[in-house]
């Protein structure tokens, strides 16, 4: 693989090009659903495309567990590794077309990419929050994102879009702020977590919590990092985001006709692949944020405040919904998406649903799968056409 | 739940009753497939039922990752928790009927229940082997089991039976010792591990290897135990042995119609259930044995020495085969069992196959599922009838 530094520094034609993160400080306190409160907070965000005259073409991108505000373009054209995490989907002529939309992506509250979170310093004593950072829920994120929208003078989003935990935010947006969301795109998500989902999150947490360098969450004070535990947590997440079929394909094992050489290599390749990815992640992500994100996932259940009645929750929605699932996603399986669809129909929502054939499991939502991107593009084009009609 | 001490100490009518483990010492060295060698070794085993006059009714039970020699009956009738791990299947009138068969169960070489393994002391210096214990493969187990059979003067088993890793041993037996196996029952197993299987094993190993108390495998010398890592490994194994549906049922979440109370409890219940099971396991199992067992799983591939040709491997078999899979087993899925069946048919084996409907995932092989046990019982009865005809 050629070094990325040697590549051309020209902007790819369908890229938003070089982007500069922005930040916004909120000096009003925010009360959190779990009982916590932050006296002030900062959100990091990026925007792509131009806001139109009537401020109606704004689109909000909500990120998943390990995501952040840098969704598209490059921070440094000379280093193509600085590409945004959803660059294949956001840009001029891409499914979320920056020629049509003003796209906002942010790092969630509690994150570790610049927004106020466990690695931030407390305003009172200047020490890192660490494990004292209050638990944040999906509703809290939506509330803080609404404050960001207020600050940017966006009254109503053309669309709120997210995959996985991001899709849960999009769903919560449509329920909590019906007047502010024209369309919600709920990709590879679920109306709540299954016991198996929760179990995998708990195992990941245990790996972090029992790491010798966790120091009860005060590892920054100890100039330490529970990298082993965070790495193991990531490995586990990663494996559950892939499908068994996709892994067999990736690691070259022709399991129905194995040969000695390939069979031998699979163990070594799987092992080094997982360890590499686990360690890489552990060096760029914060363990307390990982814990916070998994707790937010576990507690997600928009039906809870409607006495557990999902249909009642979805009756709040006025937005049009597009629900997308992927055939081999077993972490948030198609059946879970169809629970949302069924409840949306019962709640008289305007809902469309598509299940995309893919071998790539939960990770599919990040990939450039032709039918998936064609559908997103067509759906987004229709949204734009309606705005302008 | 009533205390088990208070229960009647009468033997249940279909139980083999109180059993006493036996051990056998082999003072001849055994060379292992991975290049290691043991100058001597001990195997723990139990037997149930009576060997018939022509020594033809012996059945060998091979255990899975966390199993051992105590498969049936009780070590102490006053403490019903001392019940064998497959007691529901082995006993008078049960599917593996001790009125018909002489059943032998053992703890595998490298185990931690009395057979020579990492917790045993080296003969030369009297210190525990720990991580110096040589890697053992499925073939090695089969070889050592054949030595046990020799010692008991069993020339040919009426059946070799196992689930999961035990099924792999039964398959290896049928290939390596065709003259010594009349029937092999291959339950919830696979002809080799998928990349996903290997990945889960690797994550479990990482949890152990990075535990602060692992001490490079010399934790016994340090009077220590990597209980956190072993607990996390077990939690992960446990979750992958269950099905998503089974977990939802177990934890009472009616996920299609959640209510606030139940939804709240699921997180706490899943968490405490996993932690309890992880810790319990960590206090009774040896981490080095866990590592050894997962490596044995990863390397299992009887086709390898036949140039990767599974059909060629199965052409060695003269035993009748019964292959059993379970509908929701995703760790060793029905498709993997069918790979064995397809290759067995191509190799002109006498093979029967049944897929059992069950919500309990991989764990199903240990459960008293009516159709499963009916089929095992009928198959075993036929074996007995043939022996006596």
């Amino acid at each position: 693989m050629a070094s990325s530094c040697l590549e051309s520094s020209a902007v790819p034609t369908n890229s938003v090009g070089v982007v500069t993160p922005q930040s916004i400080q909120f000096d009003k306190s925010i009360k959190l659903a779990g009982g916590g409160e932050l006296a002030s907070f900062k959100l990091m965000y990026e925007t792509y495309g131009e806001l139109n005259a009537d401020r109606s073409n704004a689109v909000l991108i909500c990120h998943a567990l390990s995501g952040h505000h840098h969704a598209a373009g490059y921070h440094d054209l000379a280093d193509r590794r600085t590409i945004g995490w959803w660059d294949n989907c956001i840009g001029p002529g891409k499914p979320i077309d920056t020629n049509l939309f003003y796209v906002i992506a942010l790092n969630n509250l509690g994150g570790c990419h610049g927004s106020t979170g466990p690695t931030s310093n407390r305003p009172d004593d200047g020490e890192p929050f660490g494990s004292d950072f209050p638990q944040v829920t999906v509703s809290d994120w939506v509330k803080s994102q609404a404050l960001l929208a207020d600050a940017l003078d966006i009254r109503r989003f053309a669309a709120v879009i997210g995959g996985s935990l991001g899709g849960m935010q999009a769903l919560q947006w449509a329920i909590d702020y019906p007047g502010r969301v024209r369309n919600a795109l709920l990709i590879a998500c679920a109306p709540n977590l299954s016991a198996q989902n929760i179990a995998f999150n708990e195992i990941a947490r245990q790996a972090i919590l029992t790491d010798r360098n966790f120091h009860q969450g005060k590892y920054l004070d100890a100039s330490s990092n529970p990298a082993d535990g965070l790495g193991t947590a990531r490995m586990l997440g990663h494996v559950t985001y892939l499908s068994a079929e996709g892994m067999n394909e990736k690691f070259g094992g022709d399991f129905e006709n194995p040969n000695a050489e390939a069979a031998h290599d699979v163990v070594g390749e799987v092992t080094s692949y997982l360890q590499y990815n686990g360690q890489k992640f552990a060096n760029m992500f914060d363990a307390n944020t990982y814990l916070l994100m998994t707790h937010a996932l576990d507690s997600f259940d928009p039906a809870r405040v409607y006495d557990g009645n999902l249909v009642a929750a979805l009756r709040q929605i006025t937005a049009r919904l597009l629900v997308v699932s992927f055939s081999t996603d077993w972490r948030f399986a198609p059946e879970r998406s169809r629970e949302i669809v069924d409840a949306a129909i019962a709640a008289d929502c305007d809902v469309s649903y598509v299940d995309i054939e893919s071998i790539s499991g939960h990770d599919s939502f990040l990939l450039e799968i032709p039918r998936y991107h064609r559908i997103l593009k067509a759906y987004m084009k229709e949204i734009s056409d309606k705005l302008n009609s």
Side-chain angles (χ1 to χ4, degrees), chain A:
Chain A
M1 190 163 61
S3 161
S4 50
C5 307
L6 297 176
E7 290 174 18
S8 159
S9 60
V11 180
T13 52
N14 61 354
S15 168
V16 299
V18 173
V19 292
T20 306
Q22 303 172 66
S23 72
I24 183 166
Q25 177 73 23
F26 296 89
D27 285 324
K28 220 179 132 205
S29 79
I30 184 169
K31 280 192 203 300
L32 304 169
E37 186 170 354
L38 289 166
S40 63
F41 66 100
K42 182 173 82 167
L43 292 178
M44 294 292 292
Y45 68 100
E46 291 183 0
T47 70
Y48 322 111
E50 299 295 326
L51 189 60
N52 62 5
D54 61 0
R55 314 184 84 78
S56 65
N57 71 333
V59 165
L60 180 69
I61 307 295
C62 301
H63 71 73
L65 201 155
S66 61
H68 45 65
H69 54 279
H70 182 41
Y74 300 86
H75 284 165
D76 178 359
L77 266 183
D79 183 357
R80 293 299 166 92
R81 291 168 302 185
T82 66
I83 194 169
W85 58 267
W86 213 7
D87 187 83
N88 65 30
C89 196
I90 303 168
K94 289 179 180 170
I96 301 171
D97 192 340
T98 50
N99 291 329
L100 304 176
F101 294 103
Y102 176 66
V103 178
I104 303 166
L106 81 156
N107 184 216
N108 277 345
L109 196 60
C112 56
H113 290 87
S115 292
T116 300
T119 62
S120 308
N121 294 331
R122 276 189 297 251
D124 50 356
D125 62 4
E127 294 295 315
F129 278 102
S131 51
D132 292 338
F133 196 83
Q135 182 56 46
V136 178
T137 65
V138 170
S139 292
D140 294 326
W141 283 328
V142 167
K143 194 161 115 180
S144 63
Q145 290 159 1
L147 294 172
L148 174 63
D150 291 345
L152 299 176
D153 199 14
I154 313 285
R155 295 311 307 158
R156 193 178 189 192
F157 283 108
V160 178
I161 306 176
S164 192
L165 180 53
M168 297 175 189
Q169 293 163 59
L171 177 58
Q172 194 76 54
W173 255 103
I175 294 168
D176 289 355
Y177 297 100
R180 302 190 71 171
V181 187
R182 279 183 201 275
N183 296 273
L185 280 67
L186 321 175
I187 305 169
C189 67
N192 56 40
L193 260 64
S194 71
Q196 189 189 65
N197 289 149
I198 293 166
F200 281 125
N201 284 342
E202 175 59 22
I203 295 166
R205 285 191 293 263
Q206 281 298 314
I208 293 169
L209 295 170
T210 60
D211 186 296
R212 79 195 83 187
N213 294 318
F214 185 64
H215 297 285
Q216 284 80 47
K218 297 292 187 183
Y219 47 86
L220 293 179
D221 298 346
S223 300
S224 188
N225 180 29
D228 287 335
L230 186 53
T232 301
R234 176 58 171 184
M235 286 186 230
L236 176 54
H238 196 77
V239 170
T240 67
Y241 303 151
L242 303 174
S243 73
E245 306 91 302
M247 287 192 75
N248 281 347
E249 196 170 82
K250 186 181 193 78
F251 294 100
D254 177 355
F255 285 87
E256 297 199 17
N257 290 297
N259 63 63
E261 204 54 49
H264 177 75
D265 281 341
V266 171
V267 175
E269 281 172 21
V270 169
T271 298
S272 57
Y273 171 82
L274 284 177
Q275 288 184 8
Y276 172 79
N277 279 284
Q279 285 162 14
K280 186 173 137 195
F281 184 79
N283 289 323
M284 52 164 258
F285 207 83
D286 177 62
N288 282 317
T289 289
Y290 201 92
L291 297 174
L292 180 148
M293 293 276 173
T294 62
H295 283 301
L297 271 165
D298 283 5
S299 71
F300 176 68
D301 183 4
R304 192 173 303 144
V305 292
Y306 296 90
D307 290 330
N309 186 332
L310 184 60
V311 174
L314 300 198
R315 279 211 190 92
Q316 312 306 310
I317 294 177
T318 58
R320 289 172 66 222
L321 305 178
L322 174 64
V323 179
V324 181
S325 63
F326 298 92
S327 57
T328 56
D329 183 353
W330 57 279
R331 187 88 193 234
F332 295 106
E335 300 78 55
R336 305 305 322 274
S337 284
R338 290 196 281 268
E339 288 178 36
I340 298 174
V341 173
D342 291 0
I345 290 170
D348 202 24
C349 297
D350 182 346
V351 58
S352 300
Y353 169 61
V354 60
D355 181 57
I356 305 287
E357 281 289 325
S358 163
I359 197 176
S360 301
H362 188 57
D363 265 357
S364 300
F365 85 88
L366 293 166
L367 303 180
E368 199 175 336
I369 298 167
R371 184 173 175 231
Y372 169 44
H373 274 204
R374 270 203 310 276
I375 286 167
L376 284 189
K377 188 166 186 173
Y379 199 86
M380 294 304 292
K381 178 68 165 51
E382 197 194 356
I383 291 173
S384 176
D385 288 349
K386 274 199 185 145
L387 286 177
N388 297 320
S389 68

